[in-house]
Amino acid sequence: MQAEIISIGTELTTGAKLDTNSQWLSLELAEIGISVIAHTTIADDLDEMVATLRTAAERSEIVLITGGLGPTLDDLTREAMAKFGNVPLVQHEPSLEHVKAMFAKRNRPMPERNLIQAMFPEGSEPLPNPRGTAPGIWMPYQRQDGEISHVAAMPGVPSEMKQMFRQQVLPRLDGSGQVIRRARINLFGVGESQAEEILGDLTARGRDPDVGITVHEATITLRITAMASSVDECRAKIEKTRETILNRMGTLVFGVEDEELEHALVRLLRLRRASLSTAESGTGGLLAHRLTGVAGFETCYMGGVVVPTNTAKRELVSVDPMLIRQYGAISQEVALAIAKGCRQRFGTNFALAVTEWPEFDPDDPLGQVPASFVALAGPNVAKVEKVQHFGDPAIAKSRTAKVAMNLLRLQLIEG
Amino acid sequence: MQAEIISIGTELTTGAKLDTNSQWLSLELAEIGISVIAHTTIADDLDEMVATLRTAAERSEIVLITGGLGPTLDDLTREAMAKFGNVPLVQHEPSLEHVKAMFAKRNRPMPERNLIQAMFPEGSEPLPNPRGTAPGIWMPYQRQDGEISHVAAMPGVPSEMKQMFRQQVLPRLDGSGQVIRRARINLFGVGESQAEEILGDLTARGRDPDVGITVHEATITLRITAMASSVDECRAKIEKTRETILNRMGTLVFGVEDEELEHALVRLLRLRRASLSTAESGTGGLLAHRLTGVAGFETCYMGGVVVPTNTAKRELVSVDPMLIRQYGAISQEVALAIAKGCRQRFGTNFALAVTEWPEFDPDDPLGQVPASFVALAGPNVAKVEKVQHFGDPAIAKSRTAKVAMNLLRLQLIEG
């Protein structure tokens, strides 16, 4: 069984927007052993859409479309599917109710144009969209060779598309015999080439299961991919590789799958029944934002301050201006003073602090590598770490926030 | 004149890699007035490649291919072009020298397989690749209708592809004589369909210049695209449409191009020589993070607090716990008290506050729409706005931070 994916939208063919839906859908289909032979992106043009649909449905059993289901005049997926299937568009009462309800819920009048979102090609099935006004479409297609292909049209908005795919489309697909399973292990505290050295033979080409390395904002992710005839077999293969990796990597590993350092940190804090507060200068609230993004953070994260100015540092975390004058705002001493003042202000077990850092140009080969300091204050502990900002300044904030969280993570594990 | 773009590679159709080349090339072609009608991504499959090439070259004058020029067995672009053009592959002596020289420079022996990189379809022209071993291919194609199309094959590695496109392919393309210029106008405070209603005839299909609408986390962007025979003419057209839009949209417009609400707000604060502080619960530091991301924020943004707990609200922004007990943490009264307490704590002209909001499941059609409050305190001003969280919870924080910033923006303009 093979599939292909069609993305609709002039904003895509002109380059105004990047299509990420096709990649995501390809990965999802691979999970159930359906291989994708092509992605096609076309403009909002009815004839082109019908021709592309025909080519796709004639050669592939599954055709997934994203985009073109909105209420505006250039949203033509509905019309294209009707023309391609040679059937009229008919109104679907429950969908009309849904669209009306969505507008009622938002207390807004429903524009006339939105009526079109309750129209479907005759013989097709509407796919509910709990997150938006545009329902999807599931439609069978009789091929020249007598076989039946299926076309699913979904919204272009990634969050709506993903939910509709998982809830409505996936259950309608039969996969192939082979299954693929993936697992991810996340590390912090080493560089990519160092990680590769430690892993050694594990990353060799052709190894089964395959182990790949990617880096995102200083977090290293190891991706294990196993293919086998059953899910259990995949899992067993992955488990063995995972154990080897954990043995070699030790406390560099902080989590799996989508887990970020903040999830690991909140988990550890809750386990230790410890509380945390933060005081940030250079990261400007990012640390607080990351921590408050974790479900259940309220039980251990008590709050934070963003203190870019000396006045704010004095008023909110009691840092003596003389100390800043003596050592400079970017110093070990000031980092520790901020952490201690923050801990006292919030009355928490631990506090993390981040100083500011100088502006820098990564393309200046003679420029000094700028640095900032992160500090941890706690019962019987006061630690500072220097963070050097080489590389992309765009990730300096994220990397610094991670160094701070990792400092406390290691303290909670080892300290 | 129209073009299309073909990306080759099983790593793309499986979703292992994201194709960003097609978007980049579309934007480049648009600059010289060549419109792109389709992007196609196909696996490393010879027959599929030949069929796709034929369809593309029969309908479009320019076909750009990326990928499949490497030395390995699954790199088939060369063979596919020969088969498609119905010509043999012949060796090109200077290209062979180039490949050999690349290996000599890197002190590595040249694998036998790399010989293929000096083979070209008869009648085609090699395109030098100073950055890699794979030269590109420029090939004319005689269509069924007697016209000539041109196919350019380039490496898939973005840095090599971009250089080859600019140095070798672009000079071979005759633009339409037409140039395209774009402009973006950003709005906040209306929904997409409401914006479309206000714009009326401006978004009609076929209008010149074209006006499109996109939404990202509740910010609406209007994209004006003008085509004309000169850049000046484009600019004049855009200017006229821009004026019409500004007239109709008024203070809904906050910026242009990449400007976000935080840029508009920092600009206005500096202009008015006013200072700001923030106190956040539900947005957990996002407001502070956005504001400190704007260059020059230090002159007007004095800092913030993240106060998720009642204790933090009392200790840091002096909110009476009785008030919270009386009205609830999510109330107008508490929002205002937080804003006033924050303003006093930091001694700023203005303060923005955000309350928390209840957890919600956007997929529960009967679930009450949860809400939070944002408040503004300033000299002679105290305003509160209720924010309802329908739709994707992933954007609730971003949207709420924007509502808060917009509240102050409007105050600074109108107040």
Side-chain angles (χ1 to χ4, degrees):
Chain A
M1 171 154 349
Q2 67 182 35
E4 51 195 277
I5 301 165
I6 302 174
S7 313
I8 309 282
T10 303
E11 73 278 15
L12 300 173
T13 51
T14 57
K17 260 195 171 176
L18 177 65
D19 168 39
T20 55
N21 287 338
S22 302
Q23 182 192 25
W24 187 87
L25 286 168
S26 293
L27 289 171
E28 287 288 313
L29 290 170
E31 295 274 320
I32 54 163
I34 297 178
S35 63
V36 173
I37 65 150
H39 303 167
T40 310
T41 304
I42 47 174
D44 300 307
D45 178 294
L46 191 63
D47 292 335
E48 207 57 69
M49 284 165 72
V50 174
T52 303
L53 261 170
R54 194 151 291 147
T55 308
E58 283 293 339
R59 68 183 174 191
S60 297
E61 290 83 0
I62 304 294
V63 179
L64 303 180
I65 305 178
T66 60
L69 288 177
T72 65
L73 284 172
D74 53 5
D75 289 307
L76 299 169
T77 299
R78 238 170 256 101
E79 285 84 342
M81 283 181 74
K83 200 169 168 192
F84 149 77
N86 206 18
V87 289
L89 281 171
V90 293
Q91 189 166 296
H92 181 248
E93 204 52 45
S95 296
L96 185 61
E97 291 313 311
H98 170 75
V99 177
K100 283 181 177 165
M102 289 296 285
F103 277 94
K105 193 170 157 186
R106 297 174 191 190
N107 273 321
R108 293 207 218 147
M110 185 181 85
E112 192 69 11
R113 281 293 308 165
N114 283 76
L115 280 176
I116 188 76
Q117 295 187 308
M119 302 291 286
F120 293 85
E122 202 172 63
S124 73
E125 230 178 300
L127 303 174
N129 179 3
R131 296 208 176 174
T133 55
I137 305 169
W138 174 258
M139 186 167 131
Y141 169 77
Q142 165 109 42
R143 288 152 62 153
Q144 304 277 359
D145 62 10
E147 299 288 319
I148 301 288
S149 291
H150 282 92
V151 180
M154 296 172 283
V157 179
S159 63
E160 296 181 20
M161 181 281 288
K162 289 176 186 178
Q163 194 183 37
M164 187 179 289
F165 178 79
R166 289 209 168 124
Q167 291 183 354
Q168 301 292 334
V169 179
L170 202 52
R172 287 173 164 86
L173 303 177
D174 297 321
S176 78
Q178 287 292 83
V179 294
I180 292 180
R181 281 298 175 274
R182 292 188 171 80
R184 278 173 287 156
I185 297 179
N186 304 316
L187 327 176
F188 189 82
V190 275
E192 189 178 9
S193 36
Q194 208 184 331
E196 202 171 12
E197 257 176 46
I198 304 175
L199 289 170
D201 53 314
L202 285 176
T203 59
R205 272 193 83 130
R207 187 181 181 279
D208 177 36
D210 180 81
V211 179
I213 304 185
T214 53
V215 196
H216 180 67
E217 297 181 353
T219 296
I220 295 212
T221 298
L222 307 178
R223 296 169 186 274
I224 312 172
T225 311
M227 188 189 263
S229 54
S230 77
V231 171
D232 284 350
E233 215 180 312
C234 280
R235 289 212 179 114
K237 280 184 179 182
I238 287 175
E239 201 34 60
K240 229 181 126 192
T241 297
R242 194 202 318 257
E243 263 173 44
T244 314
I245 291 174
L246 292 182
N247 281 334
R248 292 193 192 169
M249 291 295 175
T251 58
L252 290 172
V253 174
F254 67 80
V256 297
E257 304 309 324
D258 286 327
E259 281 180 326
E260 302 280 356
L261 272 165
E262 54 267 30
H263 299 100
L265 188 53
V266 166
R267 192 175 53 219
L268 279 167
L269 284 166
R270 295 180 70 163
L271 202 68
R272 302 269 189 276
R273 297 182 190 283
S275 59
L276 169 67
S277 56
T278 56
E280 308 174 63
S281 185
T283 46
L286 183 60
L287 203 44
H289 183 55
R290 291 271 167 90
L291 288 163
T292 54
V294 180
F297 77 89
E298 323 77 41
T299 55
C300 57
Y301 180 64
M302 296 298 121
V305 293
V306 178
V307 286
T309 66
N310 288 355
T311 312
K313 286 186 186 76
R314 187 187 65 221
E315 291 294 315
L316 285 127
V317 286
S318 318
V319 175
D320 186 349
M322 287 301 292
L323 191 80
I324 298 178
R325 207 166 308 156
Q326 192 178 348
Y327 296 100
I330 306 168
S331 62
Q332 291 198 30
E333 291 77 7
V334 169
L336 268 177
I338 298 175
K340 285 177 181 167
C342 178
R343 181 168 179 250
Q344 201 157 24
R345 163 70 69 188
F346 284 91
T348 48
N349 302 112
F350 296 99
L352 287 171
V354 181
T355 68
E356 57 245 64
W357 54 82
E359 301 242 323
F360 64 107
D361 174 5
D363 299 330
D364 177 2
L366 299 172
Q368 250 204 310
V369 177
S372 57
F373 292 89
V374 303
L376 165 66
N380 312 315
V381 61
K383 283 188 179 167
V384 193
E385 192 168 328
K386 189 175 180 177
V387 186
Q388 290 202 294
H389 301 287
F390 28 70
D392 188 356
I395 70 159
K397 287 187 184 181
S398 174
R399 205 171 134 255
T400 305
K402 288 178 180 182
V403 171
M405 291 191 280
N406 202 45
L407 195 62
L408 178 52
R409 182 182 72 88
L410 293 175
Q411 176 67 28
L412 291 170
I413 292 175
E414 301 161 350
Chain B
M1 174 156 345
Q2 68 182 36
E4 51 196 278
I5 301 167
I6 302 174
S7 310
I8 308 282
T10 304
E11 74 278 13
L12 301 173
T13 50
T14 57
K17 261 194 171 175
L18 177 67
D19 168 40
T20 55
N21 287 338
S22 302
Q23 182 191 24
W24 188 87
L25 286 168
S26 291
L27 290 171
E28 287 287 313
L29 289 171
E31 294 279 320
I32 55 164
I34 297 178
S35 63
V36 174
I37 64 150
H39 302 166
T40 311
T41 304
I42 46 174
D44 300 305
D45 178 296
L46 191 63
D47 293 336
E48 207 57 69
M49 284 164 72
V50 174
T52 304
L53 261 169
R54 193 151 292 148
T55 308
E58 283 293 338
R59 68 183 173 189
S60 296
E61 291 82 1
I62 304 293
V63 180
L64 302 181
I65 304 177
T66 61
L69 288 176
T72 67
L73 285 171
D74 54 6
D75 288 306
L76 298 169
T77 299
R78 240 171 254 102
E79 285 84 341
M81 283 181 73
K83 200 170 170 190
F84 149 76
N86 205 16
V87 291
L89 281 171
V90 293
Q91 189 166 296
H92 180 248
E93 205 51 45
S95 294
L96 185 62
E97 291 313 311
H98 170 73
V99 178
K100 283 182 177 168
M102 288 298 284
F103 278 94
K105 194 170 153 188
R106 297 175 191 185
N107 273 321
R108 287 204 239 145
M110 185 181 85
E112 192 70 9
R113 279 294 307 165
N114 282 77
L115 281 175
I116 189 76
Q117 296 188 306
M119 304 291 285
F120 293 86
E122 203 173 62
S124 73
E125 229 178 302
L127 303 174
N129 179 3
R131 294 207 179 174
T133 56
I137 305 168
W138 174 259
M139 189 167 125
Y141 170 78
Q142 165 110 43
R143 288 152 59 154
Q144 305 276 1
D145 63 8
E147 299 289 317
I148 301 288
S149 291
H150 282 92
V151 181
M154 295 173 282
V157 179
S159 62
E160 296 181 21
M161 181 281 289
K162 288 177 186 177
Q163 195 182 35
M164 188 180 288
F165 178 79
R166 288 209 168 124
Q167 290 181 358
Q168 301 293 334
V169 179
L170 202 52
R172 287 175 163 84
L173 302 176
D174 297 321
S176 53
Q178 295 285 87
V179 294
I180 291 183
R181 282 297 176 273
R182 292 188 168 77
R184 278 173 287 156
I185 296 178
N186 304 316
L187 329 176
F188 189 82
V190 274
E192 190 179 7
S193 32
Q194 206 185 333
E196 200 175 13
E197 260 177 42
I198 303 175
L199 290 170
D201 54 312
L202 285 176
T203 59
R205 278 193 77 131
R207 186 184 181 276
D208 178 36
D210 179 82
V211 179
I213 304 184
T214 54
V215 196
H216 180 66
E217 297 182 351
T219 296
I220 295 212
T221 298
L222 306 179
R223 296 167 187 276
I224 311 173
T225 309
M227 189 189 267
S229 54
S230 76
V231 173
D232 284 351
E233 214 180 315
C234 280
R235 291 214 177 112
K237 280 183 178 184
I238 287 175
E239 202 34 59
K240 225 177 133 196
T241 297
R242 194 202 318 259
E243 262 173 44
T244 314
I245 291 174
L246 293 182
N247 281 335
R248 292 196 192 164
M249 291 295 173
T251 57
L252 291 172
V253 174
F254 67 81
V256 297
E257 305 308 324
D258 287 327
E259 281 180 326
E260 302 280 357
L261 272 164
E262 54 266 31
H263 299 103
L265 187 53
V266 166
R267 192 177 50 219
L268 278 167
L269 284 165
R270 295 180 71 162
L271 202 68
R272 302 271 188 276
R273 297 181 190 283
S275 59
L276 170 65
S277 56
T278 57
E280 307 175 63
S281 187
T283 46
L286 183 61
L287 204 43
H289 184 55
R290 292 268 167 90
L291 288 164
T292 55
V294 181
F297 78 88
E298 323 76 41
T299 55
C300 58
Y301 179 64
M302 295 299 121
V305 293
V306 177
V307 287
T309 66
N310 288 356
T311 312
K313 286 185 185 77
R314 187 188 64 219
E315 290 295 313
L316 286 130
V317 286
S318 317
V319 175
D320 185 348
M322 287 301 292
L323 192 79
I324 298 178
R325 204 166 310 156
Q326 190 179 349
Y327 295 101
I330 307 168
S331 61
Q332 292 198 30
E333 289 78 5
V334 170
L336 268 176
I338 298 175
K340 285 177 182 166
C342 179
R343 181 169 179 250
Q344 201 157 22
R345 164 68 70 185
F346 284 91
T348 48
N349 303 113
F350 295 98
L352 286 171
V354 179
T355 68
E356 57 245 62
W357 54 82
E359 299 248 320
F360 64 107
D361 175 5
D363 303 332
D364 177 1
L366 298 172
Q368 249 206 312
V369 178
S372 56
F373 291 89
V374 302
L376 165 67
N380 312 317
V381 61
K383 282 188 179 167
V384 194
E385 191 167 330
K386 188 176 181 178
V387 186
Q388 289 201 296
H389 301 288
F390 29 72
D392 190 356
I395 70 160
K397 286 187 184 181
S398 174
R399 204 170 136 257
T400 306
K402 288 178 181 181
V403 172
M405 290 192 280
N406 202 44
L407 195 62
L408 178 53
R409 181 182 72 88
L410 293 176
Q411 176 67 27
L412 290 170
I413 293 174
E414 300 161 351

